[in-house]
Amino acid sequence: MKDFMKGLFKENPIFIVLLGLCPALAVSTQVVNALGMGAGVIFVLLGSNIFVSLLKNFIPEKVRIPAYIVIIASFVTIVDLTMEAYVPSLSKSLGVFVQLIVVNCIILGRAEAFASKNTLGKSVLDALGMGIGFTIGLLMIAFCREVLGAGTITLFALGTFDGVIEIPGLVDAPARVIGLSAGALLVVGYLKSMFDTLQRRKKEKTA
Amino acid sequence: MTYVGIIITFVFVNNFILTQFLGLCPFIGVSKNVESAVGMGFAVTFVMSIASLVTWIIYNFILIPLNITFLQTITFILVIATLVQLVEMVIQKISPPLYKALGIYLPLITTNCAVLGIALIVIRNNYSALESFVAGFAAGLGFLLAITPMSTIREKLDTEKIPKAFRGVPIAFITGGLMALAFMAFDKALLKNLLG
């Protein structure tokens, strides 16, 4: 259980460890994109952690990094092709960032630091925790940016519901800059300072 | 698109760090002092120019004829990793001073998403070989252009009184955000006015 929980907040990949920032900023313009990206990362992380953990005794020490990269790239290709086939609109709005999951440092980082040393069960929990933690971080950024920058929350369309929640007051006069690239960096800066403060308070309390 | 257009696009309009968020990890991680930031910037420019050309050649002369373009991601990342190793060895043999300056940054570049990013983007844009090379070079220059002022600002910030909550990484992000605001002046309309 500890392996699962630590990824959520204590070692949150985005805000505490600062890994995987490039996709986090680029796809966080809408909540639905963040969900799609999160799902992709969870899948790849789970797949690579399982394979690395299973193959850890067979992969020679010297070529382990290239071997991990091939495993990760295979799963990324699966995600890329699946998204293109079944959710083309999402695949289009995520663009090149689906393929760029390959170089997302979280995934290689978990393979090297955790899955290559631990059992299958632990690795699965670790992958889920880290993946969900990444998605939570991504959702927080996307939520702030979409609500402030466009005054809407975009989710999946279901039946008569077209998937877009409009926030009265904000939708007519949103702070557009938050939705643009400059806003992404500002939002992450403020969120990171919040996380830092929370962490410091907690440390002071226990000390 | 003309070569001038490509250069302006990748250096200013679509600046990799400030508008595309590619290569953000080194932008935050290596920008603590000017010397290493400039070193990293040149190393990235160097690798990106070569990588975009090499991956273009591999894509068009190997992957397309064999009809295995779905292996694009796997091939590109392996090619880039190999290329970085190769570049490192060649520089070490040919020019030890250059190796001394860039050497420590080269291994870090493999996982820099800007390099894989430019390789994928030139394929998506259907550029020719020379256009790919120019795009890679220009994107690298854009990286250098963003990371150099950033590192200068961060060196200055070290001596400033910053609220406790913002010290370190948060203020770096906010600085980056303000720089990105400035880069919003470069947009597609500007490009159109410049090139007619």
Side-chain angles (χ1 to χ4, degrees):
Chain A
M1 208 56 211
K2 215 179 80 216
D3 294 320
F4 176 71
M5 290 305 288
K6 73 173 187 293
L8 296 186
F9 291 103
K10 221 172 113 209
E11 288 181 30
N12 186 293
I14 294 186
F15 289 116
I16 309 295
V17 202
L18 292 173
L19 289 177
L21 285 169
C22 321
L25 291 175
V27 304
S28 62
T29 44
Q30 285 191 332
V31 175
V32 63
N33 290 351
L35 281 174
M37 188 70 187
V41 168
I42 293 175
F43 177 78
V44 176
L45 198 52
L46 199 57
S48 73
N49 258 15
I50 290 174
F51 268 66
V52 168
S53 169
L54 285 175
L55 295 172
K56 63 177 180 282
N57 298 326
F58 300 98
I59 298 175
E61 182 76 17
K62 273 192 181 148
V63 293
R64 66 177 196 289
I65 301 288
Y68 297 161
I69 290 180
V70 173
I71 293 173
I72 296 168
S74 321
F75 281 102
V76 170
T77 308
I78 296 174
V79 170
D80 185 29
L81 296 179
T82 315
M83 268 193 193
E84 222 174 298
Y86 293 102
V87 270
S89 62
L90 182 68
S91 159
K92 209 172 168 196
S93 59
L94 293 180
V96 73
F97 285 94
V98 181
Q99 283 160 303
L100 284 177
I101 298 178
V102 171
V103 280
N104 191 325
C105 355
I106 303 173
I107 295 168
L108 189 61
R110 289 333 283 174
E112 164 76 5
F114 198 90
S116 63
K117 299 188 185 78
N118 286 288
T119 56
L120 179 62
K122 274 188 172 176
S123 303
V124 170
L125 285 177
D126 177 72
L128 284 175
M130 283 292 163
I132 294 170
F134 177 79
T135 314
I136 291 176
L138 205 55
L139 277 175
M140 279 171 75
I141 304 174
F143 186 78
C144 293
R145 284 185 70 190
E146 209 191 340
V147 168
L148 296 173
T152 55
I153 300 171
T154 313
L155 297 166
F156 296 101
L158 265 180
T160 52
F161 174 59
D162 68 348
V164 181
I165 304 168
E166 292 189 344
I167 294 155
L170 266 174
V171 73
D172 304 314
R176 293 228 182 273
V177 66
I178 303 289
L180 298 171
S181 53
L185 289 161
L186 294 176
V187 167
V188 173
Y190 283 109
L191 286 175
K192 168 76 182 152
S193 82
M194 194 184 80
F195 264 80
D196 279 2
T197 313
L198 286 178
Q199 225 183 4
R200 207 176 41 240
R201 291 239 172 99
K202 210 170 159 197
K203 228 178 255 164
E204 275 163 12
K205 223 179 243 171
T206 50
Chain B
M1 208 194 294
T2 59
Y3 294 111
V4 180
I6 291 180
I7 291 175
I8 295 177
T9 306
F10 282 96
V11 176
F12 296 109
V13 182
N14 282 343
N15 185 290
F16 257 37
I17 294 179
L18 296 173
T19 66
Q20 308 274 310
F21 305 119
L22 293 166
L24 208 63
C25 307
F27 181 64
I28 300 293
V30 196
S31 63
K32 279 191 194 109
N33 74 68
V34 177
E35 211 173 300
S36 54
V38 172
M40 184 72 182
F42 278 108
V44 167
T45 312
F46 192 67
V47 172
M48 274 169 94
S49 337
I50 300 175
S52 57
L53 183 65
V54 172
T55 47
W56 186 90
I57 293 170
I58 288 180
Y59 186 80
N60 283 285
F61 292 105
I62 299 181
L63 296 189
I64 289 186
L66 292 178
N67 205 8
I68 47 169
T69 51
F70 64 91
L71 287 180
Q72 193 193 24
T73 317
I74 301 183
T75 325
F76 281 12
I77 187 74
L78 288 179
V79 167
I80 289 170
T82 322
L83 196 71
V84 171
Q85 286 274 310
L86 210 68
V87 167
E88 200 182 337
M89 285 193 282
V90 171
I91 294 183
Q92 200 176 7
K93 268 267 181 285
I94 295 178
S95 157
L98 187 65
Y99 178 76
K100 231 177 163 183
L102 302 185
I104 47 168
Y105 306 109
L106 285 171
L108 291 175
I109 292 177
T110 316
T111 49
N112 184 338
C113 40
V115 181
L116 184 61
I118 187 72
L120 294 170
I121 286 172
V122 295
I123 299 296
R124 280 181 182 232
N125 289 358
N126 284 324
Y127 282 162
S128 70
L130 189 58
E131 280 172 338
S132 305
F133 178 74
V134 170
F137 181 66
L141 279 186
F143 183 88
L144 189 62
L145 182 73
I147 200 170
T148 313
M150 179 70 176
S151 58
T152 329
I153 296 173
R154 281 187 80 175
E155 275 194 354
K156 281 250 186 282
L157 279 177
D158 278 348
T159 58
E160 296 292 325
K161 274 191 187 151
I162 300 163
K164 219 172 168 187
F166 286 97
R167 260 173 229 168
V169 179
I171 195 74
F173 270 110
I174 291 168
T175 314
L178 296 176
M179 281 169 68
L181 264 182
F183 265 73
M184 278 167 59
F186 304 108
D187 58 2
K188 296 238 163 61
L190 177 91
L191 189 66
K192 223 174 184 176
N193 285 336
L194 275 178
L195 299 174

